[in-house]
Amino acid sequence: MKVALETNQLIALAMKQIEPHVVAAYPITPSTEVVQEFSQYVANGDVKTEFVPVESEHSAMSACLAASLSGARVMTATASQGLAFMWEMLHIAAASRAPIVTIVANRALSAPINIHGDHADAMGARDTGWLQLWAETAQEAYDNTIQAIKIAEDPRVRFPMLVNYDGFTTSHAVETVEILDDEQVRSFLGSAPKPTYSLLDTEHPASFGVLALQDYYMEFRRAQAEAYKNVKDVVLEVAEDYAKLTGRKYGILEEYKLDDAEVVLIAMNSAAGTAKETVDLLRSQGKKVGVLKIRLFRPFPVEEIRSALSNAKSVVVMDRAYTYGGPSGPLFEEIATALVNETKKPLLGNVIAGLGGRDITMEDIEQVFDLGYKALEKGNFEPLVSWVGVRE
């Protein structure tokens, strides 16, 4: 069935179809509509979810963690300062193997105060242990939300997951999308799997959040690190099952006209769509350009990126965030690390664009590809990092 909805309203609808046991939330722009709309479903009796209104995002994630460790299917939504306020609990949720799914309408962080979209919030959560899916469009955000539940809850995974889409650019845009009916979604997901240990299992009491000093802490963390190796296989299995249901096939990456591309742009979320349009334009002018879109950012798909870039001569990584005091944007650091030991690798450069919700236009993307071609002529990217669309 086709519907036309704002993306936030669409995600609230997806949550209704999922019908989680618990949603604990403190609304924050630009994700407010997600929990606002979902709370209406709860108030109207359309879902049996226990909706917990709390006084802060830190409390929201604390409540989500407790519910998840009890065996409940749990969701919430946040953005920007809200995700930052959850930071302590994000680490604990991941290390506790609590499969909470959190919707993030990506937004800039203060200061100065800005309510529009960039990727600083989710990039700040890179090292918390949460899995991350990123969505270019409303359709992909809807599909990712449903698949995220199945991925996170898989017994081989059991990690929490962020579902990211761009604040305002995507969150408040109305798009026509294909949706499933409620029963299709619930049949696809099945019941939430029972945890090995539950906070509510009084017959078999267990301790959670125990103390581990220098004698065992590293072993806990190494075991956690090893578990992420299972995630990519599960992501692809879930994508295959979802494709059979919907006809929409997703992967870990999306390659757009890369087979013979000399200059490749790497992007995430809505900017990837603008980049594809620009590629079509430049291809009509005889330029061999392409786009690599990252869908699964955590765990980072090193082998897949190496394969996708094997024929590229010049690669420009677009970041909508910056690592202040560091050498580049955060996505560039990940790409450079993935390629560091390759004997044959492309020239690598970084552009910073779209911070605070500034539009990334086709003209900006053309400028980015031009930087890639100039690097081929010179034999290097100098400077390594360029700011595009900014007043100097």
Side-chain angles (χ1 to χ4, degrees):
M1 179 173 67
K2 288 186 178 181
V3 298
L5 287 173
E6 277 189 3
T7 303
N8 279 343
Q9 296 171 338
L10 178 68
I11 300 308
L13 175 61
M15 290 173 64
K16 168 184 173 288
Q17 295 178 316
I18 293 164
E19 196 173 30
H21 299 113
V22 175
V23 170
Y26 187 86
I28 181 172
T29 303
S31 67
T32 298
E33 283 180 305
V34 175
V35 289
Q36 176 184 320
E37 293 284 327
F38 183 75
S39 68
Q40 288 295 315
Y41 291 127
V42 176
N44 294 339
D46 296 324
V47 291
K48 298 176 182 177
T49 302
E50 184 70 32
F51 187 86
V52 186
V54 291
E55 87 291 346
S56 74
E57 291 88 356
H58 187 281
S59 296
M61 188 51 63
S62 298
C64 286
L65 175 58
S68 183
L69 293 179
S70 299
R73 177 171 284 164
V74 182
M75 300 183 74
T76 188
T78 192
S80 186
Q81 319 296 138
L83 187 64
F85 198 13
M86 291 178 176
W87 193 79
E88 176 190 13
M89 302 312 299
L90 296 180
H91 286 271
I92 297 171
S96 299
R97 306 295 290 273
I100 303 158
V101 172
T102 297
I103 307 302
V104 182
N106 299 114
R107 171 188 148 188
L109 286 162
S110 300
I113 295 171
N114 182 289
I115 62 169
H116 292 275
D118 67 28
H119 298 165
D121 49 10
M123 288 300 167
R126 280 188 300 166
D127 299 333
T128 60
W130 282 58
L131 312 180
Q132 292 195 28
L133 286 175
W134 292 68
E136 175 189 336
T137 63
Q139 183 72 71
E140 191 169 1
Y142 172 83
D143 294 336
N144 281 356
T145 299
I146 295 168
Q147 291 178 71
I149 298 289
K150 201 170 181 71
I151 295 165
E153 291 180 347
D154 190 286
R156 293 165 291 175
V157 177
R158 290 198 65 82
F159 283 115
M161 176 170 273
L162 302 182
V163 176
N164 296 284
Y165 53 87
D166 285 338
F168 285 100
T169 305
T170 304
S171 67
H172 286 63
V174 176
E175 295 185 43
T176 300
V177 298
E178 291 271 359
I179 64 168
L180 301 167
D181 63 45
D182 294 2
E183 290 309 312
Q184 284 179 304
V185 173
R186 290 168 193 171
S187 176
F188 175 75
L189 295 176
S191 300
K194 293 183 179 179
T196 305
Y197 305 100
S198 169
L199 281 174
L200 300 182
D201 187 357
T202 56
E203 296 298 316
H204 304 90
S207 296
F208 295 83
V210 297
L211 178 68
L213 299 178
Q214 63 269 37
D215 49 354
Y216 278 108
Y217 183 84
M218 276 190 71
E219 284 70 26
F220 275 106
R221 289 308 200 185
R222 176 61 187 274
Q224 180 182 343
E226 286 295 306
Y228 291 98
K229 294 179 180 178
N230 300 325
V231 175
K232 288 190 292 185
D233 287 343
V234 175
V235 169
L236 292 175
E237 288 174 21
V238 171
E240 187 67 34
D241 290 342
Y242 197 74
K244 292 175 184 176
L245 180 64
T246 65
R248 296 187 292 276
K249 181 67 179 287
Y250 293 96
I252 287 170
L253 309 171
E254 182 184 337
E255 301 180 23
Y256 191 75
K257 300 187 178 179
L258 289 194
D259 288 346
D260 63 342
E262 298 174 330
V263 179
V264 175
L265 170 62
I266 300 179
M268 297 201 298
N269 275 16
S270 60
T274 307
K276 291 175 195 174
E277 292 288 332
T278 310
V279 164
D280 292 343
L281 174 64
L282 295 179
R283 284 268 174 176
S284 71
Q285 300 171 7
K287 295 183 178 179
K288 294 181 178 180
V289 294
V291 175
L292 179 63
K293 185 180 83 175
I294 310 291
R295 176 176 179 247
L296 179 69
F297 178 70
R298 278 290 182 269
F300 197 69
V302 173
E303 294 83 4
E304 291 79 3
I305 284 169
R306 288 173 180 167
S307 175
L309 298 178
S310 59
N311 295 324
K313 297 178 181 178
S314 178
V315 173
V316 190
V317 182
M318 177 178 286
D319 270 290
R320 297 193 82 163
Y322 190 67
T323 303
Y324 296 98
S328 65
L331 179 58
F332 178 85
E333 293 173 358
E334 307 271 342
I335 298 294
T337 301
L339 299 177
V340 67
N341 287 326
E342 294 294 279
T343 53
K344 178 189 174 186
K345 52 191 172 186
L347 299 173
L348 280 178
N350 187 206
V351 296
I352 310 299
L355 302 190
R358 182 159 297 180
D359 285 341
I360 297 176
T361 66
M362 290 182 67
E363 290 75 18
D364 292 333
I365 302 293
E366 287 188 60
Q367 183 181 343
V368 170
F369 280 119
D370 189 50
L371 290 171
Y373 274 110
K374 287 179 179 176
L376 279 178
E377 295 173 5
K378 296 189 297 182
N380 63 70
F381 278 89
E382 184 58 46
L384 178 66
V385 181
S386 300
W387 291 63
V388 172
V390 64
R391 292 185 292 275
E392 298 291 351

